[in-house]
Amino acid sequence: MSNIVLIQGHPDRSKQHFGHALINAYAQGAEGAGHTVRIITVAELEFPFLRSKDEFEHGAVPAALQSAQDDLSWCNHLVLFFPLWLGEAPAMLKAFLEQLLRPGFAFKSVGKNAMGAKGLGGRTARIVCTMGMPAAIYRWYFWNHGIRSLNRKVLKFVGFSPVRELLIGQVEKLNESQAQARFEEMLRLGKNAS
């Protein structure tokens, strides 16, 4: 059985969105299969943005995020859920990851190389990104830029591998049966911890 952390990266805490229903379906599938699940809702957390290299390298992780960092240490599978905003993850989610994935935790020094060892190796990850445009347009015309960057330059950089991606396009236009098919897909992914 797996220890799974689900991160809800939608910054709007005023209402539930399609991504919230997706994360709930994933959690239901995972827990039903006997996996242990912890959910982090970024919009419910209060934390500052990092503003300098010195703060990133030497500052303390805010107290409100210490349990989230502990959850990353605990998990062996991570799933990030978020909407595409201006071609990338929302700024709040990126700021959250910047706070968590600090030197000494997410990567460690080896000799003179400050980033010589990946601190979160041995874990797998999945990105579930919703968007208004067709996913194929984002993937092929925009070269999947923001998601590819998060995958390679953040998650794989700190040790997550493999990192799988699921892009769900035209979410505002999904009919009931299409939405239900996506929920069933989340149930299957959760069951398989993938």
Side-chain angles (χ1 to χ4, degrees), residues 4-187:
I4 304 171
V5 169
L6 307 178
I7 297 177
Q8 177 50 259
H10 200 300
D12 182 2
R13 64 175 133 193
S14 68
K15 62 181 180 176
Q16 296 289 299
H17 296 273
F18 185 66
H20 292 90
L22 292 172
I23 203 170
N24 292 338
Y26 189 104
Q28 181 182 353
E31 290 170 342
H35 303 296
T36 305
V37 175
R38 295 181 184 173
I39 298 175
I40 300 169
T41 305
V42 176
E44 294 175 356
L45 302 171
E46 294 294 330
F47 58 91
F49 281 57
L50 288 171
R51 297 185 181 273
S52 71
K53 179 182 177 191
D54 185 64
E55 188 179 358
F56 175 69
E57 292 178 346
H58 305 292
V61 172
L65 300 184
Q66 187 58 60
S67 65
Q69 199 174 60
D70 294 342
D71 287 346
L72 285 185
S73 293
W74 166 83
C75 80
N76 49 24
H77 185 60
L78 171 71
V79 187
L80 294 167
F81 292 80
F82 60 89
L84 189 72
W85 282 17
L86 294 176
E88 298 186 18
M92 182 178 280
L93 176 59
K94 290 190 285 185
F96 170 79
L97 293 173
E98 287 173 1
Q99 285 283 12
L100 293 186
L101 303 178
R102 305 265 193 119
F105 172 71
F107 50 93
K108 303 175 193 269
S109 295
V110 175
K112 293 182 180 180
N113 184 351
M115 300 175 211
K118 299 173 189 241
L120 295 170
R123 293 165 175 81
T124 58
R126 177 175 290 279
I127 297 168
V128 178
C129 179
T130 59
M131 60 190 71
M133 75 175 80
I137 298 291
Y138 181 72
R139 189 175 297 279
W140 301 113
Y141 184 77
F142 294 104
W143 295 15
N144 200 25
H145 171 73
I147 305 304
R148 187 174 51 193
S149 179
L150 176 61
N151 181 332
R152 295 179 184 169
K153 298 177 185 174
V154 178
L155 296 174
K156 285 185 179 175
F157 178 76
V158 301
F160 288 94
S161 183
V163 179
R164 295 179 176 90
E165 301 169 3
L166 176 60
L167 307 181
I168 303 174
Q170 297 185 292
V171 294
E172 293 91 355
K173 296 182 179 180
L174 294 178
N175 62 37
E176 190 173 323
S177 66
Q178 290 169 324
Q180 187 59 41
R182 290 302 187 170
F183 299 145
E184 289 170 9
E185 182 176 19
M186 289 297 110
L187 286 167

